[in-house]
mmCIF file of all heavy atoms in Angstrom:
data_model
loop_
_atom_site.group_PDB
_atom_site.id
_atom_site.type_symbol
_atom_site.label_atom_id
_atom_site.label_comp_id
_atom_site.label_asym_id
_atom_site.label_seq_id
_atom_site.Cartn_x
_atom_site.Cartn_y
_atom_site.Cartn_z
ATOM 1 N N VAL N 186 -27.235 -19.373 35.176
ATOM 2 C CA VAL N 186 -27.632 -18.922 36.505
ATOM 3 C C VAL N 186 -26.949 -19.677 37.650
ATOM 4 O O VAL N 186 -26.490 -19.073 38.612
ATOM 5 C CB VAL N 186 -29.166 -19.014 36.649
ATOM 6 C CG1 VAL N 186 -29.595 -18.518 38.010
ATOM 7 C CG2 VAL N 186 -29.821 -18.185 35.559
ATOM 8 N N THR N 187 -26.817 -20.993 37.521
ATOM 9 C CA THR N 187 -26.208 -21.735 38.629
ATOM 10 C C THR N 187 -24.742 -21.383 38.789
ATOM 11 O O THR N 187 -24.263 -21.119 39.893
ATOM 12 C CB THR N 187 -26.321 -23.254 38.406
ATOM 13 O OG1 THR N 187 -26.087 -23.525 37.035
ATOM 14 C CG2 THR N 187 -27.651 -23.773 38.849
ATOM 15 N N ILE N 188 -24.032 -21.341 37.658
ATOM 16 C CA ILE N 188 -22.618 -20.980 37.714
ATOM 17 C C ILE N 188 -22.487 -19.564 38.251
ATOM 18 O O ILE N 188 -21.609 -19.249 39.036
ATOM 19 C CB ILE N 188 -21.977 -21.049 36.319
ATOM 20 C CG1 ILE N 188 -22.289 -22.378 35.646
ATOM 21 C CG2 ILE N 188 -20.488 -20.813 36.402
ATOM 22 C CD1 ILE N 188 -21.436 -23.509 36.059
ATOM 23 N N GLN N 189 -23.414 -18.696 37.806
ATOM 24 C CA GLN N 189 -23.431 -17.314 38.253
ATOM 25 C C GLN N 189 -23.411 -17.252 39.788
ATOM 26 O O GLN N 189 -22.582 -16.558 40.377
ATOM 27 C CB GLN N 189 -24.716 -16.678 37.743
ATOM 28 C CG GLN N 189 -24.583 -15.232 37.402
ATOM 29 C CD GLN N 189 -25.885 -14.711 36.826
ATOM 30 O OE1 GLN N 189 -26.903 -14.709 37.512
ATOM 31 N NE2 GLN N 189 -25.843 -14.276 35.592
ATOM 32 N N ALA N 190 -24.277 -18.034 40.383
ATOM 33 C CA ALA N 190 -24.368 -18.012 41.840
ATOM 34 C C ALA N 190 -23.060 -18.490 42.464
ATOM 35 O O ALA N 190 -22.549 -17.879 43.410
ATOM 36 C CB ALA N 190 -25.531 -18.892 42.297
ATOM 37 N N GLN N 191 -22.490 -19.535 41.894
ATOM 38 C CA GLN N 191 -21.227 -20.045 42.419
ATOM 39 C C GLN N 191 -20.132 -18.999 42.332
ATOM 40 O O GLN N 191 -19.400 -18.739 43.288
ATOM 41 C CB GLN N 191 -20.777 -21.267 41.617
ATOM 42 C CG GLN N 191 -21.559 -22.522 41.939
ATOM 43 C CD GLN N 191 -21.178 -23.643 40.992
ATOM 44 O OE1 GLN N 191 -20.273 -23.488 40.171
ATOM 45 N NE2 GLN N 191 -21.863 -24.762 41.105
ATOM 46 N N VAL N 192 -20.037 -18.400 41.162
ATOM 47 C CA VAL N 192 -18.977 -17.409 40.952
ATOM 48 C C VAL N 192 -19.142 -16.242 41.914
ATOM 49 O O VAL N 192 -18.177 -15.742 42.497
ATOM 50 C CB VAL N 192 -18.975 -16.944 39.484
ATOM 51 C CG1 VAL N 192 -18.112 -15.721 39.316
ATOM 52 C CG2 VAL N 192 -18.494 -18.058 38.581
ATOM 53 N N LEU N 193 -20.403 -15.822 42.104
ATOM 54 C CA LEU N 193 -20.638 -14.702 43.006
ATOM 55 C C LEU N 193 -20.288 -15.042 44.450
ATOM 56 O O LEU N 193 -19.657 -14.246 45.150
ATOM 57 C CB LEU N 193 -22.086 -14.254 42.908
ATOM 58 C CG LEU N 193 -22.347 -13.378 41.698
ATOM 59 C CD1 LEU N 193 -23.828 -13.146 41.533
ATOM 60 C CD2 LEU N 193 -21.593 -12.068 41.837
ATOM 61 N N ASP N 194 -20.667 -16.236 44.863
ATOM 62 C CA ASP N 194 -20.297 -16.689 46.210
ATOM 63 C C ASP N 194 -18.800 -16.597 46.395
ATOM 64 O O ASP N 194 -18.290 -16.085 47.394
ATOM 65 C CB ASP N 194 -20.724 -18.154 46.412
ATOM 66 C CG ASP N 194 -22.208 -18.252 46.730
ATOM 67 O OD1 ASP N 194 -22.792 -17.201 47.059
ATOM 68 O OD2 ASP N 194 -22.754 -19.363 46.636
ATOM 69 N N LEU N 195 -18.128 -17.110 45.383
ATOM 70 C CA LEU N 195 -16.682 -17.129 45.412
ATOM 71 C C LEU N 195 -16.109 -15.724 45.526
ATOM 72 O O LEU N 195 -15.262 -15.430 46.371
ATOM 73 C CB LEU N 195 -16.208 -17.791 44.125
ATOM 74 C CG LEU N 195 -14.725 -17.880 43.954
ATOM 75 C CD1 LEU N 195 -14.250 -19.086 44.720
ATOM 76 C CD2 LEU N 195 -14.385 -18.025 42.486
ATOM 77 N N MET N 196 -16.611 -14.828 44.665
ATOM 78 C CA MET N 196 -16.118 -13.461 44.693
ATOM 79 C C MET N 196 -16.356 -12.824 46.057
ATOM 80 O O MET N 196 -15.481 -12.171 46.619
ATOM 81 C CB MET N 196 -16.823 -12.629 43.625
ATOM 82 C CG MET N 196 -16.096 -12.626 42.307
ATOM 83 S SD MET N 196 -16.959 -11.632 41.108
ATOM 84 C CE MET N 196 -16.916 -10.045 41.879
ATOM 85 N N ARG N 197 -17.579 -13.030 46.555
ATOM 86 C CA ARG N 197 -17.912 -12.453 47.856
ATOM 87 C C ARG N 197 -16.938 -12.904 48.928
ATOM 88 O O ARG N 197 -16.442 -12.119 49.732
ATOM 89 C CB ARG N 197 -19.333 -12.886 48.240
ATOM 90 C CG ARG N 197 -20.316 -11.728 48.262
ATOM 91 C CD ARG N 197 -21.553 -12.081 49.056
ATOM 92 N NE ARG N 197 -22.095 -13.373 48.677
ATOM 93 C CZ ARG N 197 -23.157 -13.531 47.866
ATOM 94 N NH1 ARG N 197 -23.759 -12.483 47.377
ATOM 95 N NH2 ARG N 197 -23.606 -14.728 47.583
ATOM 96 N N LYS N 198 -16.627 -14.199 48.895
ATOM 97 C CA LYS N 198 -15.736 -14.766 49.893
ATOM 98 C C LYS N 198 -14.354 -14.110 49.803
ATOM 99 O O LYS N 198 -13.804 -13.637 50.781
ATOM 100 C CB LYS N 198 -15.620 -16.293 49.658
ATOM 101 C CG LYS N 198 -15.247 -17.068 50.896
ATOM 102 C CD LYS N 198 -15.183 -18.570 50.601
ATOM 103 C CE LYS N 198 -13.802 -18.934 50.143
ATOM 104 N NZ LYS N 198 -13.715 -20.161 49.363
ATOM 105 N N LEU N 199 -13.847 -14.080 48.577
ATOM 106 C CA LEU N 199 -12.506 -13.533 48.380
ATOM 107 C C LEU N 199 -12.445 -12.070 48.783
ATOM 108 O O LEU N 199 -11.496 -11.609 49.403
ATOM 109 C CB LEU N 199 -12.087 -13.691 46.922
ATOM 110 C CG LEU N 199 -11.923 -15.141 46.466
ATOM 111 C CD1 LEU N 199 -11.677 -15.186 44.971
ATOM 112 C CD2 LEU N 199 -10.779 -15.791 47.212
ATOM 113 N N ILE N 200 -13.498 -11.345 48.397
ATOM 114 C CA ILE N 200 -13.517 -9.923 48.682
ATOM 115 C C ILE N 200 -13.537 -9.672 50.185
ATOM 116 O O ILE N 200 -12.831 -8.815 50.708
ATOM 117 C CB ILE N 200 -14.732 -9.274 47.998
ATOM 118 C CG1 ILE N 200 -14.539 -9.279 46.482
ATOM 119 C CG2 ILE N 200 -14.950 -7.871 48.498
ATOM 120 C CD1 ILE N 200 -15.823 -9.110 45.730
ATOM 121 N N LYS N 201 -14.320 -10.484 50.866
ATOM 122 C CA LYS N 201 -14.405 -10.332 52.307
ATOM 123 C C LYS N 201 -13.057 -10.605 52.950
ATOM 124 O O LYS N 201 -12.579 -9.867 53.797
ATOM 125 C CB LYS N 201 -15.482 -11.277 52.864
ATOM 126 C CG LYS N 201 -15.863 -10.942 54.293
ATOM 127 C CD LYS N 201 -17.177 -11.607 54.679
ATOM 128 C CE LYS N 201 -18.381 -10.738 54.324
ATOM 129 N NZ LYS N 201 -19.643 -11.468 54.470
ATOM 130 N N GLU N 202 -12.420 -11.694 52.502
ATOM 131 C CA GLU N 202 -11.114 -12.056 53.053
ATOM 132 C C GLU N 202 -10.090 -10.958 52.842
ATOM 133 O O GLU N 202 -9.276 -10.662 53.704
ATOM 134 C CB GLU N 202 -10.590 -13.334 52.387
ATOM 135 C CG GLU N 202 -11.192 -14.606 52.959
ATOM 136 C CD GLU N 202 -10.889 -15.805 52.083
ATOM 137 O OE1 GLU N 202 -10.035 -15.688 51.173
ATOM 138 O OE2 GLU N 202 -11.530 -16.852 52.296
ATOM 139 N N GLN N 203 -10.106 -10.360 51.651
ATOM 140 C CA GLN N 203 -9.047 -9.412 51.314
ATOM 141 C C GLN N 203 -9.434 -7.974 51.626
ATOM 142 O O GLN N 203 -8.625 -7.070 51.467
ATOM 143 C CB GLN N 203 -8.697 -9.538 49.830
ATOM 144 C CG GLN N 203 -8.218 -10.944 49.476
ATOM 145 C CD GLN N 203 -7.818 -11.061 48.018
ATOM 146 O OE1 GLN N 203 -7.994 -10.125 47.245
ATOM 147 N NE2 GLN N 203 -7.268 -12.195 47.657
#
Side-chain angles (χ1 to χ4, degrees):
Chain N
V186 181
T187 40
I188 310 279
Q189 213 177 63
Q191 285 173 5
V192 167
L193 280 171
D194 280 345
L195 179 82
M196 269 180 61
R197 247 198 312 259
K198 205 179 89 202
L199 295 173
I200 291 160
K201 194 164 272 170
E202 280 167 12
Q203 300 182 354

